[in-house]
Amino acid sequence: MRSSKQRLEEFLFPADSDTWLGILRIGVGLQVIIYCLSLRTDWTDLFSLERAGLIKRDLSEAMLSAQSHYIPRLGWLVDFAAHFGVSEQAALTAAWWSLLCAAFLLLIGLFSREAAIATLFLHLCAVKSTSGLTYGVDNFTSIGLFYIMVAPLPDRWAADCWLRSAPRRNPHLQGFHRRILQLHLCLIYFFGGITKCAGAGWWDGTSIWRALIRPPFNLLPPETLIAWKNLFPVLSISVCLLETGYPLFIWPRKTRTFCLLAVITMHLAIGVAMGLYLFSLVMITLNLAAFRPEFSFNGMRMNATRQIAGPPGPISSSGSRHADPL
Amino acid sequence: MACLGAQLFLIMTVSLRDTFSIFATTPTIFPAEANEFWQRREQTTAALLGEGLDHSNWFRNGIAVYLHSAGIEAGYGFFAPNVPANYKLVFELHYPDGRNEYDIPRVSSAAAGVRLAGLLDQLADVNYAPLRATMMKIVAYSVWQEHPDASMLRAYFGRARLPTPGEFERGNKGSYELLFAYDFTFRGTNLNAP
């Protein structure tokens, strides 16, 4: 009979391929590229102190300093550039290009680790310097970038693998990092769902209606939406149950595919009906990376038991415990 | 394993802090008498994150930097427990010749438009009046730079009450409620001056 410690180790260190990491890297890389391109025309106005921006960078950064002076911000880069006589405008343009290039390198998987660190840092600087103008998508992008940065890179689809012949990491380490992402997603949906359940509007359908007619998310005319009013209570209760029940239904084999498809459908609907394309993209990426269809909790556990024939050993400083059988 | 434990602990603590905060400050299905209970729980979880410590404390700073870097500094109560009201910001521009014009904050892309809506939500949520006035002044300044001849800007910030499906069917398209107004003059002012 296996001890609970052994079972915990098998749960946390299942043998897994690096497909999840490839999906996450490509999806988040694409996400940051679209983020850069979508803000191309507003970039300088958003960050420059010299231009007519909606909310000044220095105010955002002052509010950020109330939390800590050490949280990355664009002001650092602008001040650093100023030491070399570089103007604010030039520094901001360079930051935009650097972020775009780093995200592109991440997308193709060239210098993956360095690209992930640079993308996370520059993206963080940008979103923290416009804290008044950020929303959930920025947090989820940071989450994705953070997990890529600490993950056992490169994956099999990365250019590093075939251009630089970088060694691939062991499957138990891949499984461990993927497991963290899976647990994190469960917490995200559970807390999102439980908070919605506390609102009366999510039980009678009013919240779905309000979300769809509220500018700037009102892409569909209310005259069209009202024809479907009887569906609103069903849809909004389904959203509550789906999100709250995600940690329960995403693990068992019988409900996993349905749960994953339902969540992806929900995010696609949010993207199409409310115009939140970036939010949808990052959520679908995180879900596919964590729980892509071939994932099998029971199967993984059985595979892990068969392959390692015992509890996992300590991880070496290079991050490898066993020879990579892939 | 220790790293995993720490990461999950921080995610849960931040999520609980924000969930308790939402329950304490917004109308929910829970009785209003429970607000104090939620507030105490929020303070406890915030203390676990070192938020009660001095600003120069290394633990508080370390936790804050880690939370922001990992993208886990905020909870996940999007559009919850209720979808927020629709906020509007309109500027009335007064010219020396007695003429008045109206303008709204502008951005040039749909992506920035979504972010602007988030900014208006945040303006409505700011309870500290001087901070709200400062934020409003900065937004007003950006509008004034497009209309430098204006002698005064009056900013109207209001809440548009969205109709329920039933009200909409009866022809009610919602109503507008003014929350606050500010007057600004910028001539000879440079907000960027130290």
Side-chain angles (χ1 to χ4, degrees):
Chain A
M1 200 173 150
R2 289 174 302 161
S3 67
S4 48
K5 187 186 172 202
Q6 197 176 351
R7 282 163 61 181
L8 180 67
E9 282 181 338
E10 285 173 7
F11 173 74
L12 291 176
F13 293 93
D16 201 347
S17 77
D18 53 8
T19 309
W20 75 277
L21 185 54
I23 294 171
L24 188 63
R25 179 181 53 74
I26 292 168
V28 175
L30 195 60
Q31 170 88 15
V32 179
I33 288 173
I34 298 173
Y35 165 82
C36 282
L37 296 178
S38 69
L39 290 180
R40 183 173 47 91
T41 51
D42 290 300
W43 185 264
T44 312
D45 283 347
L46 285 177
F47 295 112
S48 175
L49 298 181
E50 298 158 4
R51 299 279 286 269
L54 274 179
I55 186 133
K56 295 291 177 192
R57 173 167 53 80
D58 51 357
L59 177 69
S60 296
E61 293 179 358
M63 288 163 70
L64 199 61
S65 292
Q67 296 179 61
S68 172
H69 291 288
Y70 308 108
I71 299 167
R73 60 202 68 187
L74 273 179
W76 290 357
L77 304 182
V78 172
D79 292 345
F80 180 74
H83 283 298
F84 301 96
V86 179
S87 69
E88 183 197 43
Q89 174 91 19
L92 291 174
T93 306
W96 185 85
W97 278 106
S98 303
L99 180 57
L100 188 69
C101 292
F104 181 72
L105 287 176
L106 186 67
L107 178 74
I108 62 171
L110 189 60
F111 301 104
S112 311
R113 179 90 55 205
E114 295 80 358
I117 294 169
T119 310
L120 175 64
F121 178 73
L122 291 168
H123 180 262
L124 215 52
C125 285
V127 297
K128 297 304 165 193
S129 293
T130 48
S131 56
L133 294 164
T134 56
Y135 64 107
V137 68
D138 299 314
N139 282 82
F140 289 117
T141 307
S142 295
I143 289 169
L145 286 168
F146 181 80
Y147 285 130
I148 296 169
M149 187 184 76
V150 298
L153 290 161
D155 58 89
R156 80 183 71 174
W157 297 327
D160 280 337
C161 247
W162 40 274
L163 278 182
R164 302 172 65 212
S165 305
R168 298 211 339 254
R169 301 307 178 96
N170 101 34
H172 295 282
L173 207 53
Q174 292 288 356
F176 176 68
H177 283 85
R178 188 180 181 200
R179 194 65 93 211
I180 302 175
L181 178 62
Q182 291 170 335
L183 293 170
H184 193 163
L185 269 188
C186 288
L187 289 173
I188 288 172
Y189 283 110
F190 176 74
F191 279 102
I194 210 81
T195 325
K196 284 186 180 72
C197 288
W202 284 97
W203 293 104
D204 62 11
T206 317
S207 287
I208 288 269
W209 160 258
R210 285 167 62 93
L212 290 171
I213 64 165
R214 180 183 189 266
F217 311 120
N218 54 340
L219 299 188
L220 301 172
E223 292 77 13
T224 308
L225 287 170
I226 200 71
W228 301 89
K229 66 171 184 179
N230 293 331
L231 265 184
F232 296 150
V234 179
L235 283 176
S236 61
I237 291 171
S238 302
V239 168
C240 289
L241 295 179
L242 182 63
E243 291 196 5
T244 314
Y246 186 91
L248 293 176
F249 299 119
I250 200 67
W251 298 101
R253 184 192 294 268
K254 282 180 185 169
T255 51
R256 185 174 50 241
T257 308
F258 174 78
C259 187
L260 186 65
L261 283 176
V263 163
I264 289 175
T265 307
M266 178 180 80
H267 288 302
L268 280 175
I270 289 171
V272 172
M274 298 171 69
L276 292 168
Y277 308 111
L278 277 174
F279 178 75
S280 298
L281 175 62
V282 75
M283 293 313 295
I284 291 171
T285 300
L286 291 174
N287 270 285
L288 285 179
F291 295 104
R292 68 181 190 281
E294 66 265 37
F295 168 77
S296 158
F297 173 57
N298 292 328
M300 284 297 165
R301 201 166 65 176
M302 282 157 53
N303 287 344
T305 312
R306 253 188 250 119
Q307 284 180 22
I308 63 178
I315 299 167
S316 71
S317 57
S318 66
S320 62
R321 183 188 296 116
H322 302 284
D324 188 346
L326 295 172
Chain B
M1 278 235 246
C3 292
L4 168 68
Q7 169 82 350
L8 292 180
F9 171 77
L10 288 173
I11 295 168
M12 286 199 65
T13 309
V14 169
S15 301
L16 284 170
R17 180 200 62 190
D18 284 13
T19 304
F20 293 144
S21 168
I22 287 170
F23 288 176
T25 54
T26 52
T28 64
I29 55 174
F30 302 116
E33 293 76 43
N35 287 359
E36 204 179 315
F37 170 82
W38 299 125
Q39 236 163 18
R40 279 201 303 270
R41 298 289 91 76
E42 182 203 347
Q43 285 161 2
T44 308
T45 46
L48 287 174
L49 297 168
E51 288 177 15
L53 299 171
D54 188 77
H55 274 75
S56 58
N57 185 280
W58 64 269
F59 178 76
R60 178 192 169 127
N61 278 285
I63 294 280
V65 171
Y66 180 79
L67 292 179
H68 282 270
S69 304
I72 55 172
E73 80 278 10
Y76 306 104
F78 308 115
F79 277 3
N82 305 297
V83 176
N86 176 32
Y87 297 101
K88 286 185 188 297
L89 178 58
V90 178
F91 291 99
E92 190 178 69
L93 300 139
H94 294 248
Y95 290 90
D97 59 6
R99 193 164 41 95
N100 288 350
E101 279 180 11
Y102 292 88
D103 202 355
I104 53 173
R106 290 179 196 282
V107 286
S108 51
S109 65
V114 173
R115 292 174 184 278
L116 175 60
L119 172 65
L120 298 184
D121 291 349
Q122 287 195 27
L123 277 171
D125 286 342
V126 173
N127 291 322
Y128 185 55
L131 175 61
R132 189 173 58 218
T134 305
M135 291 173 76
M136 195 68 80
K137 187 173 184 179
I138 290 168
V139 180
Y141 186 67
S142 76
V143 173
W144 179 76
Q145 284 180 302
E146 304 290 322
H147 307 272
D149 295 338
S151 54
M152 197 264 280
L153 262 80
R154 179 164 292 157
Y156 295 105
F157 189 86
R159 175 170 50 205
R161 201 189 72 79
L162 301 168
T164 64
E167 288 170 340
F168 184 80
E169 280 183 310
R170 291 192 293 275
N172 182 345
K173 306 282 184 194
S175 55
Y176 184 80
E177 175 194 0
L178 180 68
L179 293 179
F180 36 78
Y182 293 92
D183 286 347
F184 299 110
T185 49
F186 292 110
R187 284 197 162 177
T189 306
N190 181 4
L191 281 189
N192 301 325

